[in-house]
Amino acid sequence: MTAISRCFETLRRNQECALIPFITAGDPDLETTAKALQVLDRSGADIIELGVPYSDPLADGPVIQAAATRALAKGTTLDQVLAMLQATTPSLKAPIILFTYYNPILHRGIDKFLQQIKAAGVAGLVVPDLPLEEAAGLLKPASEMEIDLTLLVAPTSSTERIEAIARASQGFIYLVSVTGVTGMRSQMESRVSDLLTQIRSVTDKPIGVGFGISDIEQAHQVREWGADAAIVGSAIVKRLAEGTPEQGLDAIAQFCQNLKTAITTTS
């Protein structure tokens, strides 16, 4: 059993919802990223998603795009991110999911990429521009290395497609709560509840909801609708970027604690 599956199994036994915060590697710098991973780990994060900055981030909204742009302007590279992770992951309880686009994986070579992220302590992968039809070439070698490749279900996905993604996805199923890019929304769309019910009818794999959760009320709402995980990105990236690095770290610690409380408390 993979680290991510073990995490979800423990949470399910305890009837808990997972909190999965997202940050962008290298924003404002990799030293702060390492500290942020440690802060999130001790502030309630069950799993942490780390975005690798990329020059053409099609799935990212303005907040995360801006963070990636700042990280790239500082010269952040995948090798530097992996070196930072290799030094940091031994001190973390929360498994790390790497959020990256497919082109850097292909450029490096799938086997080499997987070997390198495994050595850095990465437990899972989310590749937002990798469609189900092209995922087999990454799913099989990732599984052999006990790295979970989690696939995304969109609000527009057909019933047949949802069933196929649910069968193939590893670790959990990533339900995109909105049509469009990542980013903070003023309210959660009620159809997320129907989508969760629909996915739940075809699989017993955990379901995480992301792309749009911006506050504790929305995190609580998706838990009440039956999600196994609340994935929060832009709202954390924004807080980390405000003020000095120390102020940003304090802000995400408090926010993470509040989010975990919100998804632990039932109505």
Side-chain angles (χ1 to χ4, degrees), residues 41-63:
D41 186 56
R42 61 176 180 260
S43 298
D46 297 292
I47 298 166
I48 303 172
E49 197 173 0
L50 181 67
V52 178
Y54 183 58
S55 58
D56 191 21
L58 299 177
D60 294 332
V63 171

Side-chain angles (χ1 to χ4, degrees), residues 120-247:
V122 171
L125 268 176
V126 171
V127 185
D129 60 343
L130 178 65
L132 173 66
E133 293 76 13
E134 299 177 21
L138 185 55
L139 278 163
K140 187 175 185 294
S143 177
E144 290 171 352
M145 298 195 69
E146 296 190 334
I147 296 171
D148 286 323
L149 175 60
T150 296
L151 303 179
L152 286 74
V153 169
T156 53
S157 297
S158 66
T159 300
E160 294 76 15
R161 190 170 183 79
I162 287 173
E163 291 176 356
I165 291 171
R167 285 193 299 271
S169 189
Q170 300 167 345
F172 66 103
I173 296 155
Y174 194 132
L175 172 58
V176 176
S177 69
V178 295
T179 303
V181 298
T182 63
M184 297 175 287
R185 304 298 198 276
S186 59
Q187 60 185 27
M188 294 300 298
E189 297 191 26
S190 58
R191 63 178 169 172
V192 172
S193 176
D194 296 332
L195 287 165
L196 282 164
T197 300
Q198 185 179 0
I199 299 169
R200 189 75 69 203
S201 72
V202 299
T203 185
D204 61 357
K205 291 178 182 177
I207 306 166
V209 176
F211 283 53
I213 299 175
S214 63
D215 57 38
I216 58 175
E217 289 79 14
Q218 292 169 357
H220 180 74
Q221 182 66 78
V222 298
R223 186 260 163 88
E224 290 296 295
W225 283 337
D228 296 289
I231 305 164
V232 185
S234 295
I236 290 181
V237 172
K238 181 175 182 291
R239 282 168 171 80
L240 182 58
E242 291 175 342
T244 66
E246 291 73 21
Q247 290 170 328

Side-chain angles (χ1 to χ4, degrees), residues 54-130:
Y54 183 58
S55 58
D56 191 21
L58 299 177
D60 294 332
V63 171
I64 295 176
Q65 279 194 26
T69 298
R70 290 191 296 267
L72 290 171
K74 292 275 186 75
T76 305
T77 66
L78 176 59
D79 287 331
Q80 291 172 348
V81 173
L82 295 179
M84 179 276 297
L85 281 172
Q86 191 162 20
T88 307
T89 52
S91 66
L92 304 177
K93 299 188 301 294
I96 297 294
I97 294 174
L98 208 62
F99 183 105
T100 183
Y101 289 85
Y102 199 36
N103 189 57
I105 299 175
L106 287 177
H107 179 74
R108 187 155 298 216
I110 288 174
D111 290 340
K112 182 178 179 181
F113 175 84
L114 290 171
Q115 290 165 4
Q116 289 179 333
I117 68 169
K118 180 73 172 181
V122 171
L125 268 176
V126 171
V127 185
D129 60 343
L130 178 65

